Amino acid sequence: MTEEIAAVNAPVSAIERLQLELPELDWITDPNRIERLSQDFSWFSPVLKRRLEGKVADTVVRPRTEDEIRRLVAACAKLKLPLTIRGSGTGNYGQTTPLAGGVVLDMTGYNAMLWVRPGVARAQAGIRLAEIEKATRPGGQELRCLPSTYRSATLGGLFGGGFGGVGSINHGPLGAPGNVIGLKAMTIEPEPQVVELRGAEALRMHHLWGTNGLVLELEIALAPAQPWLETLATFTGFDAALAFADALARAPGLAKREVAFFASPVPDHLTQLAEHLPRGCHAVLSLVAEAGEEAMNELVAAHGGSVTYRRTAEDVAKSNRTLMEYTWNHTTLHALRVDKGLTYLQTSFTPGEHVRQITELAKRYEGEVLMHAEFLRTMDGLLTCSALQLVRFSTEERLAQIIREHRDYGVRINDPHTFIVEDGKAGGELPEEVVALKRRFDPLALLNPGKLRHWPVRSAP
Ligand SMILES: Cc1cc2nc3c(=O)[nH]c(=O)nc-3n(C[C@H](O)[C@H](O)[C@H](O)COP(=O)(O)OP(=O)(O)OC[C@H]3O[C@@H](n4cnc5c(N)ncnc54)[C@H](O)[C@@H]3O)c2cc1C
């Protein structure tokens, strides 16, 4: 048999059949791009970095219309091909990394803003969050809570893999009732169905890492936009800085969008802001309504601090440089740029106990776990902090011990070093209604296989 005949007779893989069936779709076939589009920011964790090494999709596709998505889903279901949904891939837990090969479905081509009304907007899932604000700001509205990655992150990615962020000090996590109003999702079947889910039912797809439904559109609540003043206040003492941050966060007359506390030596890692952060200082980063500047300055002075950085909303708009990109896990990103030996934790403190807990834990792990805390409201509306502490990494065993000790101390750790949904923020077995949604929307168990503990992992045939 000649080589030519052998090639003609070679069995066609399921991926090749898929691509032959849907030639008009935007396929990404370059192996380097496929590798890049199979990854997210899981490299923040040395544990995930090791465990996800070499995990890569067989192909990536970027549909542009609902019809293209439907044809792709139908064909994948018929061929039993694993499907991993991706927004912009800024997730931290390998959420967009396929464990069993198959297709990465890049949603960024499906990105239209559908409408904006008073207090609410609707858009396709692949839209970038920054694009939503471009559409809502002229009408005086903004997103209620947005991750520090808002420039690149998508709406579907925030819903599928995010938690909240800037603005959560007012509105709590994205999952707090009222923040997400409804969604449209597609089932993964040979004959895909499109279903609208509202309220609590819609939230059953939230933070499930694209394992229990493909979200096509989201309807989200908006907040009135304010001109936000961006400041850094610095302090020589830990207690004074934390007390100021807590007082600012609580002050009911001061409208704010963000308050973050960086204990020394965290500010030393923010090298792009070095001229505003005296070495060894403790710092508080905030976005407060411009009208509240005098009241805030009085609070800074009362705690013995100094304002070392001040930008008005107009300065921020002109420079396109915002302190929001130094908050939440952006703090970790900036720190990792100057010290590759760091990793991080995610900790929720007890409302009302948060100042004491932060102070005690910062002392206990001095030099090893460096305190960075973000103020927010809980699902019940109580003010507290979530920390994204920087950890000087030594071994995986030591990291696990630190996590255990924090839990024994009485604070909640949302483990960022796992790619199993139940072991992360979910903190255990999923509620029955979430599992029921999985059965309804993904009966063939093709969505992001390996990320839910009790569901089978079948590799691409
Ligand atoms: C430097 C840095 C800072 C960060 N700061 C924050 C922060 O402040 N707050 C925060 O919450 N997170 C933060 N994150 C995590 C992440 O950036 C956000 O959660 C972001 O919203 C994810 O959006 P994405 O488009 O990149 O999603 P991706 O990473 O592409 O996807 C996230 C998950 O959602 C699923 N998904 C995506 N689209 C859909 C869809 N249409 N239907 C169903 N499932 C879907 C994916 O399968 C995946 O499991 C940060 C990450 C980094 C690296």
Side-chain angles (χ1 to χ4, degrees):
M1 196 163 40
T2 66
E3 272 179 31
E4 245 169 56
I5 294 170
V8 169
N9 288 340
V12 178
S13 71
I15 292 286
E16 286 164 330
R17 281 172 61 191
L18 180 71
Q19 289 170 332
L20 286 171
E21 209 172 294
L22 300 169
E24 68 287 5
L25 262 59
D26 183 8
W27 295 101
I28 289 148
T29 49
D30 170 47
N32 292 327
R33 287 184 69 201
I34 293 177
E35 194 181 338
R36 195 177 59 71
L37 292 167
S38 299
Q39 293 164 356
D40 61 12
F41 283 71
S42 58
W43 56 268
F44 278 24
S45 160
V47 181
L48 289 178
K49 195 172 170 189
R50 173 180 64 72
R51 296 194 62 197
L52 293 171
E53 181 88 55
K55 302 287 183 205
V56 66
D58 294 303
T59 189
V60 180
V61 62
R62 191 171 290 156
R64 291 149 291 208
T65 62
E66 186 177 317
D67 184 55
E68 285 192 353
I69 297 174
R70 191 186 47 73
R71 281 187 286 137
L72 175 80
V73 165
C76 285
K78 281 180 203 142
L79 293 164
K80 306 268 187 312
L81 274 169
L83 206 50
T84 301
I85 309 163
R86 178 187 165 96
S88 292
T90 66
N92 288 113
Y93 322 121
Q95 292 136 292
T96 49
T97 299
L99 300 180
V103 179
V104 161
L105 165 49
D106 179 333
M107 289 292 286
T108 55
Y110 189 66
N111 56 21
M113 188 76 213
L114 298 173
W115 48 256
V116 184
R117 294 178 191 150
V120 55
R122 187 161 174 127
Q124 291 176 344
I127 192 169
R128 292 186 203 284
L129 297 167
E131 293 299 316
I132 300 181
E133 286 219 329
K134 269 192 205 155
T136 61
R137 276 201 179 276
Q141 304 193 86
E142 63 184 23
L143 287 167
R144 281 191 171 182
C145 43
L146 69 167
S148 57
T149 45
Y150 70 94
R151 234 183 254 272
S152 51
T154 62
L155 181 58
L158 174 63
F159 181 74
F163 158 80
V166 174
S168 288
I169 193 165
N170 300 315
H171 305 286
L174 186 72
N179 285 332
V180 174
I181 292 165
L183 59 77
K184 186 165 100 173
M186 185 178 278
T187 62
I188 311 300
E189 299 176 281
E191 299 286 335
Q193 298 166 50
V194 171
V195 183
E196 178 82 14
L197 302 178
R198 310 293 295 176
E201 207 183 3
L203 285 171
R204 289 176 197 151
M205 262 182 210
H206 169 49
H207 214 272
L208 265 291
W209 304 1
T211 57
N212 74 343
L214 166 52
V215 178
L216 297 173
E217 293 174 11
L218 278 151
E219 200 173 306
I220 45 162
L222 301 173
Q226 299 251 16
W228 299 113
L229 180 78
E230 303 199 349
T231 59
L232 289 169
T234 61
F235 299 79
T236 51
F238 178 105
D239 292 339
L242 181 56
F244 163 70
D246 190 49
L248 177 62
R250 278 187 288 111
L254 274 171
K256 68 217 73 144
R257 203 182 191 192
E258 164 71 23
V259 177
F261 165 66
F262 305 130
S264 174
V266 174
D268 299 346
H269 294 79
L270 306 178
T271 49
Q272 284 155 306
L273 297 172
E275 60 183 299
H276 311 283
L277 295 167
R279 219 167 162 74
C281 75
H282 307 270
V284 177
L285 179 161
S286 67
L287 267 69
V288 167
E290 285 182 2
E293 182 171 14
E294 285 162 276
M296 184 188 70
N297 285 345
E298 283 167 18
L299 214 49
V300 176
H303 289 85
S306 337
V307 174
T308 52
Y309 179 100
R310 174 189 179 278
R311 296 288 181 277
T312 62
E314 200 184 340
D315 298 334
V316 170
K318 269 194 204 140
S319 66
N320 199 21
R321 189 172 181 224
T322 164
L323 286 186
M324 290 199 287
E325 287 171 311
Y326 289 86
T327 64
W328 295 85
N329 236 350
H330 258 85
T331 317
T332 320
L333 179 64
H334 291 294
L336 277 162
R337 282 192 181 133
V338 296
D339 184 347
K340 302 250 177 304
L342 293 170
T343 184
Y344 74 118
L345 287 184
Q346 294 181 156
T347 310
S348 298
F349 299 99
T350 316
E353 302 289 318
H354 53 280
V355 169
R356 178 182 60 77
Q357 290 174 336
I358 288 173
T359 308
E360 286 177 5
L361 287 168
K363 278 208 182 95
R364 177 163 169 184
Y365 294 99
E366 197 171 350
E368 187 177 19
V369 180
L370 317 179
M371 188 55 74
H372 156 210
E374 296 280 345
F375 283 80
L376 79 165
R377 275 176 209 287
T378 62
M379 296 286 266
D380 298 326
L382 301 174
L383 188 78
T384 187
C385 283
S386 241
L388 294 119
Q389 302 99 321
L390 300 173
V391 179
R392 291 197 201 286
F393 180 71
S394 51
T395 63
E396 290 188 21
E397 291 70 31
R398 174 63 187 153
L399 186 60
Q401 184 187 11
I402 292 172
I403 291 176
R404 261 195 322 274
E405 287 174 3
H406 274 71
R407 287 179 172 150
D408 292 345
Y409 172 85
V411 293
R412 183 188 167 105
I413 296 276
N414 295 324
D415 188 358
H417 305 285
T418 177
F419 55 70
I420 303 292
V421 172
E422 292 91 336
D423 296 340
K425 187 170 83 67
E429 295 300 324
L430 301 175
E432 182 44 44
E433 55 273 21
V434 170
V435 178
L437 211 69
K438 164 80 177 167
R439 283 196 212 100
R440 176 176 166 203
F441 278 83
D442 185 25
L444 303 168
L446 295 176
L447 281 178
N448 212 348
K451 303 292 169 61
L452 291 181
R453 206 187 279 146
H454 304 299
W455 291 77
V457 184
R458 271 187 244 103
S459 295

